[in-house]
Amino acid sequence: MTTFEALLAALAGLFALVAVGSTVPILPTGAAVSATAVVAAHRSPLALLAVVAAGAAGAYCGDAATYAICRAGGEALTRRLRLMRQPLQLAEAVQRRLTARPVSALLVSRLVPGGRIPVLLTAAIVGLSWRRFATANIAACALWSTTYAAIGLLGRSVFPQPWQGVVAALVIALGATQLASWLRHRRERRGRRAPDPAPTETA
């Protein structure tokens, strides 16, 4: 297999993994982009750009499939398919952000573990159109893929050998994901423990 053929095979594998992982959220899609970016960076800048594009395209296709599921079956179908386990809470802040700034809302939902499907389901419930979703998600997926590729390059800059950079990229990406997940759960626990405000007395 030539170098070009190996690159195409790696890009196809990355696209498939991210697309499937974006539909069935059990695969470390961000870590896959980071690790592949390290290998590509040792080849050429064009290979690195191709990795970012493949990761973004896979994420976009996976999000589109998930959004179609959310629009077709709502919360009941997402639970039946085990895409989401916690009850959906339609936070007004998320609804406003989806309406006013859908790109940032979709990007943040991808970067926060467990936040993507609730945001996509919220977008379906509040009636975000397919056209607006399709347009906003292009930028969100491109920024997401670029972010994880940058994480991979951070690992590569520390270690000279490609395999060392790959390991470092995986550790950094998975560590960042776990940290974000821990912070999210901690914030949710604080919200549940917060006492209800005392009722104000009226004269």
Side-chain angles (χ1 to χ4, degrees), residues 27-110:
L27 299 175
T29 54
V33 173
S34 298
T36 311
V38 172
V39 178
H42 281 274
R43 295 182 180 274
S44 70
L46 290 178
L48 179 59
L49 291 176
V51 166
V52 173
Y60 187 87
C61 291
D63 282 357
T66 305
Y67 192 56
I69 293 171
C70 292
R71 285 178 65 98
E75 187 173 359
L77 183 57
T78 59
R79 287 188 176 284
R80 196 175 303 124
L81 296 176
R82 296 186 177 182
L83 300 181
M84 190 176 67
R85 294 174 181 168
Q86 298 297 326
L88 177 67
Q89 297 179 351
L90 288 176
E92 292 184 7
V94 175
Q95 297 182 53
R96 289 196 301 269
R97 199 177 304 124
L98 277 168
T99 303
R101 297 184 298 278
V103 173
S104 63
L106 293 170
L107 173 62
V108 170
S109 75
R110 278 201 142 274

Side-chain angles (χ1 to χ4, degrees), residues 91-198:
E92 292 184 7
V94 175
Q95 297 182 53
R96 289 196 301 269
R97 199 177 304 124
L98 277 168
T99 303
R101 297 184 298 278
V103 173
S104 63
L106 293 170
L107 173 62
V108 170
S109 75
R110 278 201 142 274
L111 295 175
V112 175
R116 188 176 59 87
I117 292 178
V119 168
L120 291 178
L121 182 55
T122 301
I125 291 174
V126 301
L128 189 71
S129 68
W130 262 111
R131 175 180 292 183
R132 195 163 192 198
F133 166 78
T135 303
N137 205 42
I138 292 174
C141 290
L143 289 171
W144 170 83
S145 186
T146 301
T147 299
Y148 274 98
I151 291 174
L153 294 180
L154 177 63
R156 172 180 177 266
S157 65
V158 177
F159 299 97
Q161 297 298 323
W163 70 268
Q164 294 173 331
V166 170
V167 172
L170 289 172
V171 170
I172 294 172
L174 293 175
T177 300
Q178 291 302 315
L179 177 61
S181 180
W182 178 78
L183 291 174
R184 176 172 171 265
H185 289 309
R186 185 180 180 185
R187 187 170 59 250
E188 289 176 351
R189 285 197 300 268
R190 283 183 176 179
R192 287 194 294 266
R193 292 174 184 172
D196 294 331

